[in-house]
Amino acid sequence: MPELPEVETVRRDLEDALVGHRLGEVEVTGARTVRRLGDPGPLVERSRGRLVEGVGRRGKYLLVRLDGPDVVVVHLGMSGQLRLVAEGTPALPHTHVRWLLEGGGELRFVDPRTFGEVWVARPATPGGLPTELAHLGPDALEDLGDHRALGRILAARRRRIKPTLLDQRVIAGIGNIYADEILWTARIAPHRAAGALSAAELRRLQAAVRDTLLEAIAHRGSSIADEQYRDLAGAVGTYQLRHRVYGRESQPCARCGRPVRRTAEAGRSTFSCPRCQR
């Protein structure tokens, strides 16, 4: 599933390509993609002919802000892609939404597994979040603050740190890949209690969240074996070539040389170093 670095890469691409441009005709062929709305009518009627004023993000959700009060919300799910192509380019299989762009080009939402969503929302305040996203915690890149703020978020939480990082209600944007990479960088074992970290461990964790996410964005995200994450132009990311533990079971730890171990946390495959991470 695309996580914060992949979604932020797409957000930056969209911002460069769409801001100041007007959406033209809209075609929706995937009923499941617009399941939150019940039918494609609201998305078509409220995005057609509208000017794109900005592209934001909260966690793993993209927010395409239109002139007026409406926002197009996109969640890529497990296999969703946004692709910008020349008008008339043959559609990829599983293309569920198409926006023509005035002046040429098409923005397409492609989603083979159909876990992604697209809908149009009206935030209560200008620039605010749609109510459907009110459950999200602070954004892992933009809103986390320093180690003291992170400590307040994690305080008194008895859950293990790995599933806590995965809980979008606690911190928005981190998924399975980056939770493992962050914990390895911070030298914290995934089974540790989230609320029992020391001040020194919180400093390392806060720095690891920031540094890991920024490094992944710089390498345009991770495209793992299925390569279903692609950017707006259809290119894969390269951060998977720099993973220290994720997907590296039995390979030597990049820090100490001990074989990376694969376990399960909250039903998710978890990769860690049994020597480095305590």
Side-chain angles (χ1 to χ4, degrees):
M1 176 182 293
E3 302 179 28
L4 188 153
E6 292 76 48
V7 178
E8 175 63 15
T9 299
V10 175
R11 186 201 69 77
R12 294 180 183 189
D13 288 352
L14 285 171
E15 187 172 60
D16 289 342
L18 294 187
V19 171
H21 295 271
R22 196 172 296 276
L23 303 177
E25 291 298 320
V26 186
E27 179 183 69
V28 179
T29 54
R32 181 165 161 79
T33 298
V34 294
R35 58 191 176 274
R36 190 180 294 259
L37 300 174
D39 70 77
L43 178 64
V44 172
E45 294 163 10
R46 291 164 61 184
S47 63
R48 181 175 55 207
R50 305 289 293 279
L51 187 71
V52 177
E53 294 189 335
V55 183
R57 180 190 53 75
R58 182 65 169 266
K60 303 175 188 179
Y61 291 84
L62 288 162
L63 302 165
V64 181
R65 301 191 183 278
L66 308 176
D67 58 328
D70 289 326
V71 175
V72 175
V73 185
V74 180
H75 187 239
L76 299 177
M78 297 186 72
S79 62
Q81 303 173 15
L82 283 169
R83 304 287 285 273
L84 185 64
V85 299
E87 188 174 345
T89 300
L92 290 170
H94 313 292
T95 296
H96 302 305
V97 184
R98 299 168 66 179
W99 290 269
L100 292 179
L101 305 179
E102 291 189 0
E106 292 185 20
L107 180 65
R108 297 175 177 177
F109 181 72
V110 181
D111 187 11
R113 301 187 66 179
T114 69
F115 287 103
E117 283 191 85
V118 180
W119 75 93
V120 64
R122 186 162 291 177
T125 59
L129 286 180
T131 56
E132 297 94 329
L133 304 186
H135 67 285
L136 294 175
D139 185 83
L141 186 61
E142 303 293 339
D143 306 322
L144 210 51
D146 63 12
H147 74 280
R148 290 178 290 271
L150 178 59
R152 290 191 290 271
I153 292 170
L154 300 180
R157 294 186 182 273
R158 297 182 180 180
R159 293 173 68 190
R160 297 181 175 192
I161 186 62
K162 169 72 182 283
T164 300
L165 290 177
L166 296 179
D167 189 339
Q168 302 302 295
R169 298 166 298 180
V170 179
I171 299 173
I174 299 172
N176 205 41
I177 293 173
Y178 295 103
D180 285 354
E181 294 295 304
I182 287 165
L183 290 172
W184 180 86
T185 301
R187 299 176 180 247
I188 296 171
H191 63 267
R192 292 280 304 281
L197 300 180
S198 69
E201 289 169 329
L202 287 168
R203 286 191 186 92
R204 295 204 304 267
L205 181 60
Q206 188 273 337
V209 171
R210 180 194 64 233
D211 294 347
T212 301
L213 296 179
L214 287 174
E215 184 182 10
I217 292 166
H219 291 274
R220 300 189 64 80
S222 299
S223 294
I224 53 177
D226 61 11
E227 293 191 347
Q228 289 196 329
Y229 159 68
R230 292 176 179 263
D231 65 18
L232 201 62
V236 298
T238 61
Y239 192 64
Q240 69 277 5
L241 303 176
R242 304 176 69 88
H243 289 172
R244 278 77 168 185
V245 285
Y246 183 83
R248 295 176 56 84
E249 181 182 10
S250 300
Q251 297 182 44
C253 170
R255 193 160 44 212
C256 74
R258 185 161 180 174
V260 171
R261 178 174 59 189
R262 178 177 179 173
T263 57
E265 290 290 337
R268 308 294 298 275
S269 290
T270 297
F271 300 90
S272 62
C273 176
R275 175 180 291 167
C276 289
Q277 294 175 245
R278 300 290 183 177

